[in-house]
Amino acid sequence: MAAVYRAQLSRAKVARIPLLFVATFQSVGIMIMMRGVVDGGPAARAVVAGSSVLVVAFVALNLLAQYFGQLRASGGLDHYATLPVPPAAVVLGVAGAYASFTVPGTLVTAGIGCALFQLPFAHLWILAAVIPLAGAALSGLGAALGLLAPRQELATLAGQLGMSAALLLGVLPAGNLPQPIGYVRDLLPSTYGVEAFIRSFDAHPDWLAITTDLSVCAAVGLVSLAVATWAYRRAACR
């Protein structure tokens, strides 16, 4: 897995760094736009937390779905099938490499957001847990979408729709959403990373609730990465 991770990290540096800038600028732009209509309070926390986790969704969900969809359509999976590594190592190595690119963009977005909305910086260290756990959940989902979609175009479409859902349902305050839309929000794994980050802005954070939210991310990450590993094995054996 370490060898796959290093190889993917080297390849992604060239092709994906410009897209990382796009993801970061997109999230920062959303916060600047929302600053014009949100003064502070719970809405400001939702905007900052949702925009920060959006960087993770852009890379881990959207780009990974596109990558595996392209790999499957072009026959690139045949290369990995010849390597003496188990399928889980391939999926985890690629997902880990993509998730690594979310770290600087997420930190920059969170820092700028706190400054814009005058939120405390004290508990930003929670991102050390939010990024890998939300990243694992979204990476597994993105990889599974790319490997299970019957066509490359559908994998790209699914990844972009997932990222759009993370944007709309993560950035907007949950209390302002209609109840049926709130149920959809609860189904998104990124929601629990956003909620954990929002709670960390409290003067006295509810650490039990934060741990519960992060545990949901971890559980979804385990399941989604297992599904992605199964999908990879299925696609590589065809």
Side-chain angles (χ1 to χ4, degrees):
M1 188 181 79
V4 174
Y5 174 82
R6 286 196 298 270
Q8 285 298 318
L9 203 60
S10 299
R11 291 180 182 178
K13 278 180 183 175
V14 177
R16 302 302 178 187
I17 282 183
L19 293 175
L20 174 61
F21 280 107
V22 172
T24 306
F25 287 142
Q26 171 185 260
S27 292
V28 172
I30 289 170
M31 290 192 302
I32 292 173
M33 181 180 67
M34 294 298 289
R35 186 66 182 88
V37 295
V38 173
D39 291 330
R45 299 175 182 187
V47 170
V48 174
S51 299
S52 301
V53 175
L54 179 62
V55 179
V56 182
F58 183 93
V59 176
L61 176 57
N62 183 28
L63 295 187
L64 208 55
Q66 291 183 39
Y67 177 76
F68 272 108
Q70 181 185 16
L71 208 59
R72 183 168 177 263
S74 65
L77 290 178
D78 295 340
H79 165 70
Y80 288 102
T82 61
L83 297 177
V85 293
V90 175
V91 173
L92 289 175
V94 175
Y98 272 69
S100 297
F101 282 93
T102 66
V103 175
T106 306
L107 294 177
V108 168
T109 302
I112 293 175
C114 288
L116 268 177
F117 290 94
Q118 299 179 344
L119 294 175
F121 288 79
H123 295 134
L124 285 187
W125 58 264
I126 197 68
L127 289 174
V130 170
I131 294 174
L133 294 177
L138 294 171
S139 294
L141 188 58
L145 289 174
L147 289 165
L148 293 175
R151 292 169 49 190
Q152 179 183 351
E153 294 81 3
L154 293 178
T156 300
L157 177 63
Q160 290 180 345
L161 287 175
M163 187 201 67
S164 299
L167 190 162
L168 295 173
L169 302 179
V171 173
L172 296 177
N176 295 349
L177 297 174
Q179 192 170 26
I181 302 298
Y183 293 145
V184 177
R185 182 178 184 270
D186 292 341
L187 295 176
L188 278 175
S190 57
T191 295
Y192 299 91
V194 172
E195 287 295 325
F197 194 12
I198 289 174
R199 295 181 200 277
S200 74
F201 288 122
D202 293 339
H204 301 288
D206 184 345
W207 295 112
L208 179 59
I210 290 175
T211 302
T212 302
D213 286 330
L214 294 178
S215 298
V216 173
C217 285
V220 173
L222 286 174
V223 172
S224 64
L225 287 170
V227 171
T229 301
W230 169 80
Y232 166 81
R233 188 183 293 113
R234 173 175 174 267
C237 292
R238 282 187 172 181

